[in-house]
Amino acid sequence: MPQTALPAPMLPSFAAAVTERTLTHQTRLCVGLDPRADAYRDTAHLRLHTLDVMEATAPFAACVKPQLAFFEALGLPGFTLLEEVCALARTLGLPVILDGKRGDIGSTAEAYARAWLGGPHAGDALTVNAFLGFATLTPFVEAAQANGGGIFVLVKTSNPDQADVQGSGVSERVAVEVARLNTEEVGAEAEAGTYASVGAVVGATHARDLATFRALMPHALLLLPGLGAQGAAAADLAPAFHAGGTGALASASRGVQYAAGLDVAASVAAAKRFRDELNAAVEL
């Protein structure tokens, strides 16, 4: 008799997977990968160093965040490397956040969502922006939920001139929309520590605002860029986390990958230091 095919096992969502890794490995660090062509002899050298840094720092990382711009700048070899990065991350058990800050209308947004949340270069999560209106988030939310992934909506970015367009309550308005989307997904009665597929980017450089945004978005994972090279300190980030040390991921890119030029041992030491500083800061 022909055997009935068993249903494919359900994979954990991005939010569940990254939270589980946070707790089992006791790390809140997101290691950013910014492979800058001018730092290397050639593309082969760039490839080797990028993969070496990711593999060597993986024990101290909750996830990895390739910055798409640096891979795109390499052309076809960059896309090939990105696929290698994603494949190695899966082997290492590292969830992947693709930092692309995508956002557009209609079919273009749908194409971006297919490419980066379900295509051959796909990661587990993608950074997106809502500058063209909240409706532009819909294709990304739907793709993330369909693929067990996640998105991180730009709410208050880490760069100093973000206030040009994110001030005057704009960031708070976007945060309210993130919270609305998450309530639709997990329900109004969900407990703190239940995370939905829609997260938010809130710069680690805005330490005084973290408690406000944590309260506005109780079911959003917060991605906190700016640790290290941009001057943010792990000790100031506790308000972004829930009790138990979940709910946020602090990202360091240059401060890990190029901690001391191309010295991989220095990258490992930097990742361990950031991991330890974050653990010391949060309520475990």
Side-chain angles (χ1 to χ4, degrees):
M1 295 178 60
Q3 293 185 346
T4 302
L6 295 174
M10 290 294 290
L11 297 176
S13 69
F14 168 78
V18 80
T19 300
E20 180 182 4
R21 187 171 174 90
T22 291
L23 294 172
T24 57
H25 287 70
Q26 282 301 303
T27 177
R28 286 96 192 138
L29 176 66
C30 173
V31 171
L33 296 176
D34 295 3
R36 301 165 183 263
D38 58 2
Y40 302 94
R41 295 187 302 272
D42 51 33
T43 302
H45 185 206
L46 178 151
R47 171 188 173 276
L48 182 62
H49 180 258
T50 300
L51 295 173
D52 282 351
V53 166
M54 184 173 68
E55 185 167 13
T57 60
F60 309 106
C63 58
V64 63
K65 182 175 71 66
Q67 168 51 259
L68 291 184
F70 292 101
F71 292 84
E72 291 169 347
L74 298 170
L76 183 57
F79 285 98
T80 300
L81 175 58
L82 180 61
E83 290 185 357
E84 289 189 86
V85 164
C86 292
L88 178 58
R90 287 190 289 271
T91 299
L92 297 170
L94 279 174
V96 178
I97 302 172
L98 297 179
D99 194 356
K101 302 178 178 68
R102 296 303 196 259
D104 216 311
I105 62 173
S107 60
T108 308
E110 292 171 4
Y112 277 137
R114 286 197 305 272
W116 298 116
L117 290 166
H121 310 298
D124 302 295
L126 175 71
T127 60
V128 302
N129 76 75
F131 186 75
L132 276 71
F134 292 148
T136 64
L137 296 176
T138 300
F140 296 104
V141 174
E142 292 177 346
Q145 292 175 349
N147 291 286
I151 61 171
F152 288 90
V153 181
L154 303 186
V155 170
K156 192 172 184 68
T157 55
S158 58
N159 53 306
D161 52 349
Q162 54 78 32
D164 293 347
V165 292
Q166 296 171 24
S168 303
V170 172
S171 290
E172 288 78 5
R173 185 178 176 188
V174 178
V176 168
E177 176 63 11
V178 169
R180 185 191 70 79
L181 291 168
N182 285 339
T183 298
E184 283 188 354
E185 183 176 340
V186 302
E189 304 303 319
E191 298 180 355
T194 301
Y195 303 111
S197 58
V198 183
V201 176
V202 179
T205 50
H206 306 296
R208 289 180 296 180
D209 300 318
L210 293 177
T212 296
F213 289 110
R214 177 72 285 166
L216 283 172
M217 301 176 287
H219 301 299
L221 286 175
L222 303 184
L223 179 61
L224 314 173
L227 192 62
Q230 293 187 57
D236 298 329
L237 304 185
F241 293 85
H242 285 131
T246 63
L249 302 159
S251 177
S253 299
R254 285 170 289 170
V256 172
Q257 187 168 3
Y258 303 109
L262 302 181
D263 185 345
V264 175
S267 295
V268 172
K272 182 179 184 300
R273 183 180 73 254
F274 286 133
R275 189 274 313 265
D276 293 345
E277 290 173 352
L278 287 164
N279 287 350
V282 303
E283 180 184 342
L284 299 177

